[in-house]
């Protein structure tokens, strides 16, 4: 990467924040970072590659479960378990993508929805290996080089994960591959005519983003030191979808804004509405789709546009956003 | 052997419910191309209408059913008017209505969860919880009632599409929207009616399913998934496909639970495998749409 200093600066700043927070705030901060990581990946898959997939949280769960099963049930050392989980995630993602990207439109949504539900069934019925409905607990992150990573130090790992995901997707978005993804989303026939292998692009986009979700899952496994089926169900996929749509679909900044907002809103709203924030999210989602399809980032654009109009330069006549 | 025939009646009844949910999807997706995942929530809301009218207020069953139908018609109409029509008129991408309907799905579910609490609530069966034996075929009253009512609904849907001019106009929109509009068919009205009828059919499924599973704010999603599995099996092209798909799904499901040597939890995965299999091998379903006649 040619200019890597902004990434290092972000790593230092976001990590420094972790050391200033108490243990409860650290926990909230870690989960916020993980949601941002997931939203970034989902934004690429859904917003940029245009694939309506409901399987993102399944891969998050696949990563988390496979690394835990690796270190406990199989008794592998941590690096081997991480590597094996990674390979496993890639293999499953490819196995799902290869047949299902042949399906047009909403059939992909149905196939991934079925996969997501099937994953939960397997987790619930996995007996000793997956711990059934109760999931797995009573494990912890093995020491790395004789040092036990915990507290704010582990938050640094998550900051690095988030920035790594961001950097990978940022580069991809601006590469030939990113343009191929957008082309395949907007007009597959035209993209194919321009020499884009649409099928291959779709498979790659699905496999990469799903594997990144799996990687986030591996890190998540040691945040609460427990994994159970209810975390990886459909509810959270919906929340993820709401995040990127409310934030502004197809834009990394939108995914970050949406994730931060929807993750933190329940904390702010709970004194008034208790646990019913999902109702608010549902309405906001409907209103955004109806009136501001570009999400909060679209509002931001409009605000900037409006700011320019106020300035003395002659305003350009043309269609406004939204 | 008796056990087997009892299973047949039970499976047919559940298959009918899946078929109704599939029909609800089909009524909406045929003319509009929109997959409305909220049909499960419509069924759930109708089940709660059943709780209030049939259980709490003890109204007679036909009265409750009639009011439920009117309510669901209005709900479907309003859903289309408020969350789909503005997007279609703006020329939004085809994904937009699906997303706004997903938002409505959450709104419907959370509203019911606030209004009725998280506990399951009873809905009475049409003729009580008796048992009927017709020769070898035996099952609960509710099973036979479900089968009879479903056949009526499907017969009505078939009659509408095959024998009435309005039904033909739906079919025309399904085949070619633009050509249909040029022929003077009011696209907005067709869309609105398809949503309203979809909601009514989903509502009937909800009220029929509720006595067995109890009305619960989370009952929608499983119904929605079983419904579209049935739709994928049967194919979106034909009304009969929805019923056929529902029956196949229910029989596979119940036969696995009853006879296959797998734990019942894993048997829940069988319909999902069936869905994946059909998507991969025959995504157009068993029954394909008729070719447009020249």
């Amino acid at each position: 990467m040619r200019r890597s200093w902004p990434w290092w600066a972000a790593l230092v700043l976001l990590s420094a924040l972790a050391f200033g927070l108490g243990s409860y705030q650290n926990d909230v901060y870690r989960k916020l970072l993980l949601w941002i990581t997931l939203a970034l990946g989902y934004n690429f898959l859904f917003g940029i590659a245009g694939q309506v997939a409901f399987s993102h949280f399944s891969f998050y769960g696949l990563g988390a479960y496979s690394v835990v099963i690796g270190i406990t049930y199989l008794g592998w050392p941590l690096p081997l378990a991480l590597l094996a989980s990674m390979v496993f995630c890639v293999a499953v993602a490819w196995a799902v993508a290869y047949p299902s990207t042949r399906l047009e439109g909403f059939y992909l949504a149905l196939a991934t929805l079925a996969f997501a539900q099937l994953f939960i069934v397997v987790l619930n019925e996995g007996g000793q290996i997956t711990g059934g409905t109760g999931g797995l607990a009573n494990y912890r992150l093995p020491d790395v080089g004789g040092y036990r990573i915990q507290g704010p130090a582990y938050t640094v790992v998550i900051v690095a994960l988030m920035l790594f995901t961001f950097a990978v997707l940022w580069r991809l978005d601006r590469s030939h591959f990113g343009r191929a993804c957008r082309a395949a989303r907007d007009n597959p026939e035209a993209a194919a005519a321009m020499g884009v292998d649409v099928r291959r692009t779709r498979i790659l986009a699905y496999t990469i983003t799903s594997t990144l979700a799996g990687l986030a899952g591996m890190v998540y496994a040691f945040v609460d030191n427990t994994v159970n089926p209810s975390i990886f169900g459909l509810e959270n996929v919906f929340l993820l979808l709401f995040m990127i749509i409310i934030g502004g679909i197809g834009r990394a900044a939108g995914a970050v804004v949406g994730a931060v907002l929807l993750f933190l809103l329940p904390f702010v709203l709970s004194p008034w509405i208790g646990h019913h924030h999902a109702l608010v999210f549902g309405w906001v989602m409907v209103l955004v789709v109806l009136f501001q399809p570009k999400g909060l980032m679209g509002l931001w654009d409009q605000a900037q546009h409006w700011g320019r109009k106020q300035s003395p330069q002659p305003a350009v006549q043309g269609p406004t956003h939204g | 052997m008796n056990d087997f025939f009892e299973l047949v009646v039970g499976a047919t009844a559940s298959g009918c419910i899946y078929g109704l949910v599939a029909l609800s999807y089909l009524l909406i997706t045929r003319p509009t191309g929109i997959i409305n995942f909220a049909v499960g929530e419509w069924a759930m809301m109708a089940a709660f209408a059943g709780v209030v009218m049939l259980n709490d207020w003890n109204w007679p069953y036909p009265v409750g059913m009639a009011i439920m139908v009117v309510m669901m018609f209005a709900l479907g109409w309003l859903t289309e008017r408020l969350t789909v029509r503005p997007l279609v008129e703006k020329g939004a991408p085809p994904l937009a209505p699906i997303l706004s309907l997903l938002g409505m799905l959450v709104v419907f579910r959370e509203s019911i969860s606030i209004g009725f609490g998280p506990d399951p609530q009873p809905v009475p069966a049409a003729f009580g919880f008796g048992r009927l034996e017709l020769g070898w075929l035996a099952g609960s009253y509710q099973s036979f009632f479900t089968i009879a009512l479903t056949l009526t609904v499907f017969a009505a849907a078939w009659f509408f599409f095959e024998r009435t001019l309005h039904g033909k106009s739906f079919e025309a929109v399904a085949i070619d929207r633009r050509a249909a509009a040029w022929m003077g068919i009011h696209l907005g009205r067709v869309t609105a009616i398809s949503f309203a009828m979809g909601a009514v059919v989903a509502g009937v499924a909800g009220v029929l399913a509720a006595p067995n599973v109890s009305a619960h704010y989370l009952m929608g999603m499983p119904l929605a998934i079983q419904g579209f599995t049935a739709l994928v099996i049967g194919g979106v092209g034909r009304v009969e496909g929805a019923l056929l798909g529902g029956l196949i799904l229910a029989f596979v499901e119940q036969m696995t639970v009853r006879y296959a040597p797998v734990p019942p939890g894993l048997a829940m995965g069988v319909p999902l495998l069936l869905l994946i299999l059909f998507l991969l091998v025959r995504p157009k379903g068993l029954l394909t749409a008729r070719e447009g006649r020249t």
Side-chain angles (χ1 to χ4, degrees):
Chain A
M1 204 166 294
R2 260 168 299 159
R3 284 195 316 143
S4 58
W5 68 264
W7 299 103
W8 293 111
L11 178 64
V12 171
L13 273 177
L14 291 173
S15 305
L17 190 58
F19 290 91
L21 295 172
S23 71
Y24 172 70
Q25 283 101 325
N26 243 306
D27 188 49
V28 173
Y29 184 46
R30 286 173 189 167
K31 283 175 186 151
L32 173 64
L33 288 167
L34 284 167
W35 273 105
I36 294 174
T37 310
L38 286 171
L40 284 167
Y42 197 56
N43 178 56
F44 194 93
L45 178 63
F46 183 86
I48 294 171
Q51 295 180 21
V52 190
F54 290 108
S55 53
H56 212 64
F57 251 87
S58 312
F59 284 97
Y60 189 55
L62 201 65
Y65 263 92
S66 53
V67 78
V68 173
I69 290 169
I71 60 164
T72 56
Y73 188 77
L74 300 172
W76 289 346
L78 184 65
L80 179 63
L82 287 175
L83 190 70
S85 308
M86 197 74 182
V87 172
F88 188 52
C89 282
V90 173
V92 174
W94 190 85
V96 173
Y98 187 77
S100 57
T101 45
R102 274 191 321 171
L103 302 168
E104 282 301 319
F106 313 117
Y107 286 111
L108 176 72
L110 301 185
T112 51
L113 194 60
F115 171 74
Q117 292 291 93
L118 201 58
F119 178 65
I120 299 297
V121 170
V122 171
L123 289 187
N124 281 332
E125 295 304 316
Q128 217 191 330
I129 299 174
T130 65
T133 48
L136 298 167
N138 300 323
Y139 62 87
R140 63 176 187 84
L141 185 65
D143 296 355
V144 179
Y147 181 68
R148 193 170 166 199
I149 301 173
Q150 58 180 354
Y154 197 68
T155 311
V156 175
V157 174
I158 301 176
V159 170
L161 166 84
M162 194 270 280
L163 288 171
F164 171 75
T165 307
F166 201 162
V168 168
L169 295 171
W170 183 267
R171 294 269 294 186
L172 277 179
D173 189 11
R174 273 147 193 78
S175 68
H176 175 265
F177 179 71
R179 286 187 291 275
C181 282
R182 286 170 198 269
R185 170 196 67 184
D186 293 336
N187 192 338
E189 290 83 13
M194 301 299 282
V196 173
D197 187 340
V198 172
R199 179 97 195 282
R200 189 170 152 268
T201 306
R202 285 186 176 156
I203 295 174
L204 265 179
Y206 185 90
T207 309
I208 291 171
T209 52
S210 297
T211 307
L212 284 172
L215 191 65
M218 291 173 215
V219 175
Y220 168 75
F222 304 103
V223 168
D224 284 338
N225 284 327
T226 172
V227 286
N228 60 66
S230 66
I231 307 169
F232 305 115
L234 275 179
E235 289 309 301
N236 283 328
V237 184
F238 277 22
L239 189 53
L240 204 56
L241 185 69
F242 288 11
M243 282 175 176
I244 64 167
I245 289 176
I246 292 172
I249 191 163
R251 293 163 76 167
V256 175
V257 169
V260 171
L261 195 72
L262 262 65
F263 180 75
L264 292 181
L265 260 185
F267 293 97
V268 180
L269 290 178
S270 61
W272 293 291
I273 56 169
H275 292 294
H276 297 301
H277 44 82
L279 181 63
V280 178
F281 292 172
W283 276 122
V284 173
M285 164 87 168
V286 174
L287 294 176
V288 163
V289 173
L290 284 176
F291 301 111
Q292 188 50 263
K294 290 181 177 166
L296 293 172
M297 292 311 291
L299 276 183
W300 167 250
D301 290 344
Q302 273 175 343
Q304 282 193 325
H305 191 75
W306 187 78
R308 274 200 299 276
K309 267 193 178 163
Q310 297 301 95
S311 61
Q313 285 112 15
V316 183
Q317 289 295 312
T320 47
H321 293 274
Chain B
M1 214 55 204
N2 275 337
D3 173 67
F4 175 77
F5 281 105
E6 185 124 13
L7 194 69
V8 166
V9 174
T12 310
S14 343
C16 284
I17 288 166
Y18 303 161
L20 284 173
V21 180
L23 179 63
S24 171
Y25 277 112
L26 188 138
L27 286 171
I28 294 167
T29 205
R30 265 302 256 158
T32 63
I34 295 168
I35 284 271
N36 172 20
F37 288 105
V39 289
E41 309 314 301
W42 279 343
M44 180 270 291
M45 291 172 89
F48 274 94
V51 169
V52 172
M53 290 188 293
L54 302 175
N55 193 58
D56 298 357
W57 298 345
N58 254 318
W59 286 3
Y61 202 87
V63 176
M65 204 69 170
I67 294 176
M68 185 279 293
V69 164
V70 174
M71 279 172 50
M72 293 312 293
F73 193 90
L75 181 68
W77 186 288
L78 278 176
T79 307
E80 195 272 339
R81 267 284 101 92
L82 299 177
T83 64
V84 176
R85 178 81 57 92
L87 292 168
V88 174
E89 282 174 356
K90 269 200 305 193
L95 191 58
I98 296 172
L99 295 178
S100 69
L101 286 167
L102 274 179
M104 288 311 292
L105 183 160
V106 172
V107 168
F108 288 148
R109 189 178 57 200
E110 293 304 314
S111 307
I112 293 290
S113 132
I114 291 174
F116 291 88
D119 298 322
Q121 316 230 6
V123 176
F127 297 101
F129 287 96
R131 203 179 118 84
L132 181 67
E133 289 187 29
L134 293 174
W136 283 22
L137 293 173
S140 64
Y141 286 157
Q142 183 69 9
S143 295
F144 285 106
F145 177 64
T146 302
I147 295 167
L149 191 58
T150 305
L151 289 179
T152 316
V153 170
F154 270 92
W158 181 85
F159 183 82
F160 177 76
F161 280 111
E162 299 289 328
R163 292 285 179 271
T164 68
L165 197 59
H166 284 296
K168 294 280 183 204
S169 72
F170 269 62
E171 199 60 30
V173 173
I175 291 169
D176 190 333
R177 278 185 83 78
R178 197 174 299 171
W182 282 338
M183 298 298 154
I185 292 169
H186 194 314
L187 288 183
R189 190 182 304 146
V190 167
T191 312
I193 291 177
S194 77
F195 268 79
M197 293 205 310
V200 169
V201 172
V204 172
V207 174
L208 287 176
N212 287 331
V213 296
S214 295
H216 186 263
Y217 79 107
L218 289 177
M219 74 186 271
M221 190 44 87
L223 271 179
I225 290 177
Q226 282 152 339
F228 76 59
T229 306
L231 183 71
V232 169
I233 294 174
V236 292
R238 300 251 293 272
V239 168
E240 311 90 283
L243 186 57
L244 178 69
L247 290 174
I248 292 177
L249 172 63
F251 271 89
V252 170
E253 203 174 57
Q254 307 239 345
M255 294 293 164
T256 341
V257 172
R258 181 70 185 77
Y259 295 109
V262 291
L266 267 187
M268 280 165 54
V270 171
L272 299 166
L273 284 175
L274 198 65
L275 171 61
I276 292 172
L277 189 77
F278 262 88
L279 282 172
L280 298 184
V281 179
R282 211 187 158 102
K284 296 231 182 308
L286 288 175
L287 301 183
T288 46
R290 280 188 199 88
E291 297 297 315
R293 262 165 290 185
T294 46

